[in-house]
Amino acid sequence: MRQILLFIWEVSKIVIIAMLIVIPIRYFVFQPFFVRGQSMEPNFHNGDYLIIDEFSYHFRDPLRGEVVVFKYPNNPSQRYIKRIIGLPGETVEIKEGEINVYDEKGIPQILDESDYLPDLKNTPGNLKIRLDKNDYFVLGDNRLFSSDSRRWGTLPEENIIGRVLIRAWPFTALAKIEVPSY
């Protein structure tokens, strides 16, 4: 009987230690996310299983081109996935199919997205929006079928959960997600 109790005690210690390690990592560092819908095709597909880095934005700001998961501003219980296009303080203009990003001094940059959207012909829409100091402009990669900042406005920084770090499923598409250069 004593050996059974010792065995149970040892197993319990291992379970408790594992929980003390895994639970904080799961809730404060990395989080799983399933892609739902086609708004991020061709880069992310319905059913893709992603690992979200929740930690790095405590030490640095999000970068243009990063794919982020966030709480949808109009219904925070929903989670969305989009790509950051405009940063705080910038002005984003979509006109005649092109995206122009103006820095705080008003100097324009035509956004070249050919690295991650090689078949993109143009971005539908006609708008010009100035971002406040804590706002981001996000777009889905599937520009024709994405509900994004063109429709519902800017993304407040506090709604960002984290950046997509790894695509873990399907296993044949396993990859670390890199930030494109502009």
Side-chain angles (χ1 to χ4, degrees), residues 151-171:
R151 176 176 287 169
W152 40 260
T154 61
L155 171 65
E157 183 174 26
E158 64 266 12
N159 285 38
I160 297 175
I161 295 170
R163 68 184 174 104
V164 176
L165 185 63
I166 297 170
R167 179 188 358 247
W169 187 261
F171 193 68

Side-chain angles (χ1 to χ4, degrees), residues 118-152:
D119 296 330
L120 180 68
K121 302 292 184 248
N122 61 38
T123 298
N126 187 16
L127 66 87
K128 188 171 187 176
I129 187 167
R130 177 148 183 0
L131 303 173
D132 289 335
K133 66 178 181 169
N134 292 317
D135 288 342
Y136 291 85
F137 190 88
V138 294
L139 292 175
D141 288 352
N142 188 353
R143 300 291 161 77
L144 293 175
F145 302 104
S146 177
S147 173
D148 48 39
S149 288
R150 293 172 295 173
R151 176 176 287 169
W152 40 260

Side-chain angles (χ1 to χ4, degrees), residues 34-107:
F34 275 104
V35 176
R36 301 276 184 247
Q38 290 80 33
S39 73
M40 288 300 290
E41 288 181 355
N43 296 303
F44 301 95
H45 296 83
N46 189 45
D48 283 0
Y49 183 80
L50 310 174
I51 303 298
I52 309 305
D53 168 16
E54 297 180 86
F55 197 63
S56 62
Y57 290 157
H58 293 287
F59 302 102
R60 68 170 182 85
D61 293 329
L63 303 173
R64 184 182 337 279
E66 285 185 320
V67 177
V68 294
V69 171
F70 57 91
K71 298 173 195 167
Y72 175 48
N74 295 335
N75 183 355
S77 68
Q78 292 184 7
R79 304 293 185 257
Y80 274 32
I81 178 174
K82 303 291 177 211
R83 188 176 301 275
I84 294 177
I85 300 299
L87 303 173
E90 295 179 334
T91 299
V92 176
E93 179 181 37
I94 300 174
K95 186 177 178 182
E96 298 177 8
E98 287 187 343
I99 301 173
N100 289 297
V101 178
Y102 298 85
D103 64 16
E104 292 177 353
K105 297 175 186 173
I107 299 171

